[in-house]
Amino acid sequence: MFYPMTDEEKQALIDKQHRLELSRIALANGCFLECLNHLERLLKEESLADGHLVQMGWTAFVVSYTRPFTDNNYLGQESSKLIPQEYRALHDRVLNTYRNECIAHHDPTSLELNELIFTMEDRAFRLDPLRYHPKIEELRECYAMVEAVYHKSVERFGKCLERFPEVEHFPDGYYRFRLHAEKGSEWEPYRQKSMKQV
């Protein structure tokens, strides 16, 4: 038997959706900032000379970038509408090829991505990690894509914050947003811990 929702239940559902959206967008923005940081480091000439540093930075970029676009059990995932049309193919390549076939999962049929590299030294084989080294042009294209996605995401975050008019009256400082708090008590001042206190 179907029972219609009361106005209070409808409002509670809407409030929950607004909270989830705010949390999802904020976490995505954090991931995109991490991506820009990883790519900036990779684009420095001295980083590109060390294959292991490139692999670590590239892996960190791929994981950070794709996290918002993969399903999260509670928050859901960001829509691909966030990706500007000119970057859709690159986005799909990062998500489906680099993440799904090379980094998060191992697809042995992708030989161009997953090759066993050995070095022989003093009659001993040394196995290098599986790695894919992006070209400098692709790193630059990824940087431009993340910048564009981040700016669109920040705009969405601003619009989402409009649903929480109380933040307009907050003094400067740190605030914690608690997803599961009761309505009206989601926001609270947050005292940032120094590295010594952690």
Side-chain angles (χ1 to χ4, degrees):
M1 180 174 240
F2 175 75
Y3 293 99
M5 292 177 77
T6 65
D7 288 343
E8 291 82 16
E9 289 171 327
K10 287 178 187 174
Q11 189 58 50
L13 186 61
I14 290 169
D15 290 343
K16 180 180 178 183
Q17 292 304 317
H18 290 170
R19 291 178 188 200
L20 286 171
E21 184 180 13
L22 182 75
S23 297
R24 187 175 61 246
I25 296 170
L27 290 172
N29 286 348
C31 289
F32 299 143
L33 284 173
E34 287 176 25
C35 290
L36 293 172
N37 186 29
H38 296 313
L39 290 170
E40 281 172 6
R41 289 173 187 258
L42 278 175
L43 285 166
K44 292 182 178 171
E45 241 176 85
E46 60 271 19
S47 296
L48 291 171
D50 185 330
H52 288 283
L53 280 179
V54 170
Q55 184 58 30
M56 287 188 296
W58 179 250
T59 299
F61 158 70
V62 170
V63 170
S64 296
Y65 177 75
T66 58
R67 182 180 295 145
F69 300 104
T70 53
D71 192 31
N72 176 299
N73 289 337
Y74 191 78
L75 292 178
Q77 66 190 58
E78 281 298 301
S79 167
S80 60
K81 292 177 184 174
L82 199 58
I83 314 302
Q85 189 62 42
E86 65 269 25
Y87 294 115
R88 292 274 170 95
L90 177 60
H91 167 82
D92 290 343
R93 193 164 65 242
V94 172
L95 180 64
N96 298 317
T97 303
Y98 302 145
R99 180 195 181 274
N100 294 347
E101 293 180 14
C102 187
I103 292 174
H105 311 288
H106 180 69
D107 182 357
T109 63
S110 296
L111 294 178
E112 73 281 5
L113 298 177
N114 294 300
E115 295 178 337
L116 295 175
I117 308 296
F118 293 93
T119 55
M120 175 67 112
E121 198 173 304
D122 294 328
R123 295 185 168 220
F125 275 115
R126 182 173 70 95
L127 174 64
D128 277 358
L130 299 175
R131 61 181 173 222
Y132 168 77
H133 288 195
K135 294 184 170 83
I136 189 81
E137 299 81 27
E138 188 169 35
L139 290 174
R140 289 187 181 124
E141 192 180 3
C142 284
Y143 190 91
M145 174 181 69
V146 176
E147 266 193 328
V149 170
Y150 175 66
H151 288 301
K152 282 183 80 172
S153 189
V154 166
E155 285 177 21
R156 283 185 58 223
F157 185 72
K159 288 179 183 169
C160 193
L161 270 182
E162 290 173 7
R163 298 180 187 135
F164 299 89
E166 63 270 26
V167 301
E168 291 180 24
H169 308 291
F170 288 177
D172 290 347
Y174 292 96
Y175 293 87
R176 176 180 13 216
F177 178 77
R178 297 180 308 141
L179 184 60
H180 299 291
E182 289 187 32
K183 183 164 176 59
S185 61
E186 303 99 328
W187 299 92
E188 64 180 19
Y190 178 71
R191 190 171 62 87
Q192 191 176 28
K193 295 177 180 176
S194 69
M195 291 303 286
K196 291 179 183 177
Q197 291 174 306
V198 175

